[in-house]
Amino acid sequence: MTAPVAAALADLARAFPAERLTRDPERLEAYGRDESDLGAYPPDVAVLVESAEEIREVFRIASAHRVPVVPVAARSGKSGGVLAVQRGIAVSLERMNRILEISPEDLVARVEPGVVTGQLQAAVEEHGLFYPPDPNSLELCTIGGNVAENAGGPRALKYGVTREYVLGLTAVVPTGEILKVGHRSIKGVAGYDLTGLLVGSEGTLAIVTEVMVKLLPRPRHVSTALVVFDSVASAARAVSRVLAGGVIPRCLELLDDVSLAAAGKTSPFRFPAGAGAALLVETDGNDEESVFAEIVRVAEIVQGDAAGEVIVAQNEAQRREVWETRRYLSVNLKTLHPMKLSEDVAVPRSKIPAMVERAKAIGARHGLVVATYGHAGDGNLHCNVLFDRAEERPRVDLAVGEILRAAVDLGGTITGEHGVGLAKRDFLEYEQGRELVALQRRLKAVFDPLGILNPGKMFPG
Amino acid sequence: MTARSAAGEAAQRGGAGARAVARKLAAIVGPRNVVVDPAELLVYECDGLTHGRVRPDLVVLPGSTEEVAAVVRVARDASVPLVPRGAGTGLSGGARPVPGCAVLSLSRMRRILELDLENGWARVEPGVINLDVTRAVAGAGFYYAPDPSSQSVCSIGGNVAENSGGAHCLKYGFTTNHVLAARVVLSDGAVVDLGGPAPDAPGYDLLAALVGSEGMLGVVTEVTVRLLRKPETTRTFFATFPSTDEAGAAVSGIIAAGILPAAIEMMDRLAIVAAKAATGLDWPDVGAALLMDADGPRAEVEHVSARAIEIARAAGALEIRVPRDEAERQLMWKGRKSAFAAVGRISPSYLVEDGVIPRSEIARVLRDIGRLAEEAGLRVANVFHAGDGNLHPLVLYDARVPGEEERAARLGGEILRLCIRYGGSITGEHGVGAEKAAYMAEQFGPDDLDTMQRVRCAFDGAALMNPGKVFPTPRLCGEKPGPYRPHPAEVAGLAERW
């Protein structure tokens, strides 16, 4: 342990009760991992904070001794955003997990950052309300993490990503200011949109301690359909046709052939041999007949491009079955190859077939299988590079790098919803150029002049 | 402001005013596109907020991103403040010049550069008029959603600067929800592209910071906006109520029933009288009226409209009118949209306020406003976006009566304070500009204001982009009592006071 860390620990021990400081190596090891598969980067200490003022105190101590601070919550992120790459103090928000208020009248909820997204959704549904962002990990991930990464999900196509639902924030900046920005009303344009700037800043500008989210009335009816195609190209064609037809489904999920082969292992649906792709489509609204009419219209639109029948779920049980096909994909892929690295890119919708093809070809060149699935409606694809042994990792990393560059070259981006974090920091400049990265570094510097908050993330090292 | 004090301020900034660089600017944009003639400068002295005029040194009208970048570099080298200007329709004085400045007008950059209907976007120059975007794609069944009342004259660049709203924000959001990307000239002349095709571009959401930054963080030279498919159908109804209490209850009831109207507008008695005087509509004399649009797939819309009408009746509606055809529907909307100007028919002068409150407080706040108006001895007409709680109180006064203008301004201020007290905002869509800077410190704490100032430092360290707007005091850390304590960012040389 370095002298500054020892001094910071002594200060923390004075400021916080012992049970809120974790030094146990085993537990610290857990704080040093997330879902990025980048390995373990444990912090020197974890502080279980309970308020904005306590976080300010941590920042004061960290600033005095120049020790890094990393915010952590559910650790379900996929880009390594919470890994303590320079060790230091992990600020854990797990205790700040209260839903402070749900207001059906104003259509807002006020929550602490440690609230699990799925739990917030369940709580607002009891009031007939709806919090749309639905990252795949919604049963684990927290609102704070969603705000940090600007999380998306299948429903983003119709409802947008986390950013569209954050009306206001309370956040602590490393220099000690406690910001209360945004508003309870859905409108308000006074001053710069610091709320918008903090959403998606990956825990590098401030630590969020309270979030005011916008809610919608819950759509009362949902219809779901599954359509099989003989190729990704014909599925992509169908996606364009649906969207051009004036229907905005709440999601349009694409699965490629490798994904289908994996999904077929547990899915109640039998996919025809040689199925090249599938789309999962969902419409929603308040009038049952019109929601069903919409899904039928989707079915008619895609019929020409489809291979075989369009399966429309006739009841809630069938709907769940269709979704299980998609939700367990990530697990099922591991039955094909025990290890995988899931990449997250986005390309213009018209470039989806090209992206899927390129990812496959890049994999093949490195002797690897790539399975692609994702939110086709907004071009956000998850390219999963499958492999069997840890020793293959260097090859996998090469393939991943090429996939990221391919996305940029197709006019897309290196991350659709998972964030840059540690995993993709070396690719930011490839996409955005030197001047834009320089501007972001200047912003980082005015929020965090000492560079103590979540160092080593987002920007090339 | 006299020329001498203008020069004085410019000198204080270390520059000699824009006049000194007129020749250099002319070399960039051509002599025809630099305006120095005092008679021609007259129209640039203010925007839609017409009091507090300031004459700029000159106006420069670049025609391309490259020209904008070159102009910005010249201004920076000479420490000349730049005030970007679109159509000049803003209502908060965001485009009001400062002494010694060059107004950077984007009105020559008005081309629609690219339409991509398959992917649902249009790339346009900032001078393009809002409604012209919709006009360009309406034939193909698309439209651009944000619709400020001034949409037939205001520009997309101005909309980006102010994060403009309109009547359909409750369901469709504001400008910030519809800007996918922007090309921006930074204060040092660097050209960057912000945003992109993905829902979430990597890195910081600089686009979010830029939209609504009132021309202080950079000059937008291209904007990519989202285009939406026109909804299959729209159903409209007009409902009258004895007072704003019942109308407010109807709005709350409709939202609570899980209905998200495309628009729901409220007018009080005075606004109805004014709208009638201006348009000749046969609206009854009632205490309040609602105008609601529902849009979407036909069956859904029928269902929702019928339900909303039921709720309005239950809340105490006196009469419900459903337009027979599109022409009648347009007429109803014309009545609503002309209400601002119509107030001119019943009062020699008026002041447009713009504040936000949580929707659930509408009835209470309107009563409070009525009380404040009575105390001030003035009339206030209310016509506003009820669905999102965005009030537009119109304070009526007579400028010829000594002291009345000041009383009206004071009443406007009291109304803004009311909005802050109810947890709202001092502006819903018009921006802070020059007009409301003084109220910023009432809505935001010093920590919030400091942080905004530091964001500005990161974009524009010399504070030459639209200086004097938005922030209440000319110093980095706002007005804090006690001795000044330098911020660590200042100590590190990353930010400075001004």
Side-chain angles (χ1 to χ4, degrees), chain A residues 218-224 250 281-285 288 291-292 295 313 316 319 323:
Chain A
R218 188 166 70 94
R220 292 196 193 88
H221 302 281
V222 181
S223 268
T224 306
R250 79 163 174 187
V281 194
E282 206 159 71
T283 58
D284 66 0
E288 188 166 13
V291 172
F292 193 73
I295 202 86
E316 187 56 31
R319 214 192 128 228
W323 270 107

Side-chain angles (χ1 to χ4, degrees), chain B residues 169-385:
Chain B
C169 298
L170 174 59
K171 182 166 177 182
Y172 291 101
F174 325 99
T175 300
T176 189
N177 304 110
H178 296 271
V179 173
L180 301 173
R183 179 160 292 178
V184 184
V185 176
L186 300 176
S187 65
D188 61 357
V191 178
V192 293
D193 287 314
L194 307 183
D200 173 26
Y204 298 140
D205 193 349
L206 300 176
L207 199 53
L210 179 84
V211 176
S213 64
E214 308 201 18
M216 299 172 79
L217 301 186
V219 182
V220 172
T221 60
E222 275 181 25
V223 189
T224 303
V225 296
R226 189 198 307 275
L227 299 173
L228 299 183
R229 295 285 304 194
K230 242 189 280 183
E232 191 186 333
T233 191
T234 303
R235 282 273 176 284
T236 301
F237 73 84
F238 175 79
T240 57
F241 297 85
S243 79
T244 50
D245 286 3
E246 292 86 0
V251 173
S252 288
I254 288 167
I255 306 292
I259 296 169
L260 209 58
I264 184 160
E265 303 282 298
M266 196 189 293
M267 284 171 276
D268 70 0
R269 182 182 298 276
L270 209 48
I272 296 169
V273 169
K276 282 170 62 176
T279 59
L281 278 160
D282 64 334
W283 288 348
D285 286 316
V286 287
L290 287 181
L291 184 63
M292 178 180 137
D293 269 359
D295 68 9
R298 192 172 304 277
E300 177 90 15
V301 169
E302 304 285 358
H303 173 86
V304 160
S305 284
R307 183 89 187 90
I309 287 174
E310 267 171 45
I311 294 166
R313 285 222 167 88
L318 301 167
E319 186 195 358
I320 307 277
R321 291 190 191 183
V322 178
R324 278 180 300 268
D325 50 26
E326 181 58 22
E328 196 179 340
R329 187 182 101 80
Q330 291 293 350
L331 200 63
M332 284 180 173
W333 270 103
K334 195 177 159 203
R336 156 63 186 93
K337 288 207 171 177
S338 60
F340 274 24
V343 165
R345 300 228 172 195
I346 58 168
S347 174
S349 328
Y350 65 97
L351 188 147
V352 181
E353 259 317 336
D354 165 48
V356 192
I357 50 164
R359 184 176 42 239
S360 55
E361 307 284 6
I362 288 176
R364 265 208 296 172
V365 173
L366 289 180
R367 274 201 301 273
D368 287 356
I369 290 176
R371 196 176 35 77
L372 288 174
E374 208 169 299
E375 282 166 19
L378 294 169
R379 294 182 300 166
V380 174
N382 286 290
V383 46
F384 62 97
H385 315 307

Side-chain angles (χ1 to χ4, degrees), chain A residues 236-301:
Chain A
R237 222 170 19 243
V239 168
S240 290
R241 266 196 243 279
V242 169
L243 296 170
V247 182
I248 302 180
R250 79 163 174 187
C251 50
L252 258 174
E253 296 287 292
L254 172 79
L255 290 76
D256 77 349
D257 54 346
V258 182
S259 310
L260 274 182
K265 288 182 185 286
T266 56
S267 168
F269 301 102
R270 215 175 297 253
F271 300 111
L279 281 179
L280 195 164
V281 194
E282 206 159 71
T283 58
D284 66 0
N286 285 316
D287 181 53
E288 188 166 13
E289 267 173 54
S290 66
V291 172
F292 193 73
E294 261 203 342
I295 202 86
V296 169
R297 184 146 158 233
V298 170
E300 285 165 7
I301 293 172

